[in-house]
Amino acid sequence: MVGAKILQNDIWRREPQMLTRDYCITMARYNAWQNRNLRKLLQDMPPEELTKDRGAFFGSILATVNHILWADTTWMARFQDKPLPGGTAQTSRDFQPTIAAWSGERFRMDGHIILWAEKVKSLDMISDLTWYSGTLNTTVSKNLGECVMHFFNHQTHHRGQVHAMLTQMGLKPEETDLFLMPQSGPWL
């Protein structure tokens, strides 16, 4: 029982874990690879299929990919102390009006995330990030490393919802497993 008690205490310890620059680069490339695959699949879909409410949290495929892009834009602004894109999580579903507009902005943002990841310092990950959360209506301060983990996890979570919607339509999205990611580009 002593070993179990030690393990339990280790699990609930709140010391921030340091992420590395390499982790950020790997996840930025994974994000770009997955979004590239989605762009290829979504660009030829009829607008009515992209905007059809499929019962997902944000409703449609376009609304969900818009939410991911809006959230990525918001988090990158926070990480780099730049102006926020505006809007809320609920209005994010309309961030880009068409799949063509989304595709262009998604490509740009993926490149931006990779450049950020290549420049970030591992030591930065133990600092705190403070921002005003419109969702919570308060100022929040969290470990930057935890925010970066959330950033990449959020993308994957909602892309999984898009994957499920596409699969239900009878489409076959490309591979999503991280270990299958090509070791060299094209990421974008």
Side-chain angles (χ1 to χ4, degrees):
M1 288 307 267
V2 174
K5 191 174 224 176
I6 291 170
L7 178 60
Q8 184 180 20
N9 288 339
D10 285 345
I11 291 171
W12 298 109
R13 193 168 30 134
R14 292 294 303 153
E15 292 178 24
Q17 300 297 310
M18 184 188 298
L19 296 186
T20 65
R21 177 179 165 270
D22 288 342
Y23 168 84
C24 293
I25 291 169
T26 297
M27 294 308 294
R29 288 178 178 168
Y30 175 76
N31 173 64
W33 174 54
Q34 288 302 298
N35 287 329
R36 180 176 152 266
N37 293 342
L38 273 182
R39 284 196 324 269
K40 289 190 308 187
L41 193 57
L42 300 181
Q43 69 186 1
D44 296 325
M45 287 182 71
E48 59 274 8
E49 289 296 320
L50 289 164
T51 57
K52 181 180 177 180
D53 189 335
R54 299 182 183 281
F57 187 80
F58 289 99
S60 71
I61 292 169
L62 181 58
T64 304
V65 297
N66 263 333
H67 171 72
I68 300 167
L69 178 58
W70 174 84
D72 287 357
T73 304
T74 299
W75 279 107
M76 288 307 298
R78 289 174 181 156
F79 295 161
Q80 298 181 310
D81 198 23
K82 304 234 174 173
L84 296 172
T88 66
Q90 285 308 308
T91 64
S92 68
R93 65 184 75 219
D94 300 317
F95 192 54
Q96 297 299 319
T98 65
I99 202 63
W102 171 83
S103 185
E105 285 302 308
R106 182 73 265 176
F107 179 83
R108 185 193 66 74
M109 179 53 63
D110 290 343
H112 185 79
I113 293 168
I114 289 173
L115 291 174
W116 167 81
E118 290 173 343
K119 293 177 184 172
V120 75
K121 294 176 179 60
S122 297
L123 193 56
D124 292 340
M125 295 298 146
I126 62 171
S127 65
D128 282 342
L129 178 67
T130 301
W131 74 96
Y132 180 81
S133 169
T135 301
L136 299 175
N137 292 319
T138 191
T139 299
V140 177
S141 186
K142 295 282 183 187
N143 170 263
L144 178 61
E146 290 178 9
C147 293
V148 170
M149 282 191 290
H150 167 76
F151 170 69
F152 289 122
N153 187 63
H154 180 265
Q155 298 164 343
T156 302
H157 164 69
H158 286 299
R159 266 195 312 267
Q161 292 173 331
V162 173
H163 189 280
M165 289 185 271
L166 293 169
T167 302
Q168 289 170 354
M169 293 172 62
L171 299 173
K172 181 161 178 11
E174 293 188 33
E175 295 296 334
T176 60
D177 291 330
L178 181 62
F179 76 91
L180 295 173
M181 180 173 66
Q183 293 302 307
S184 60
W187 308 115
L188 304 172

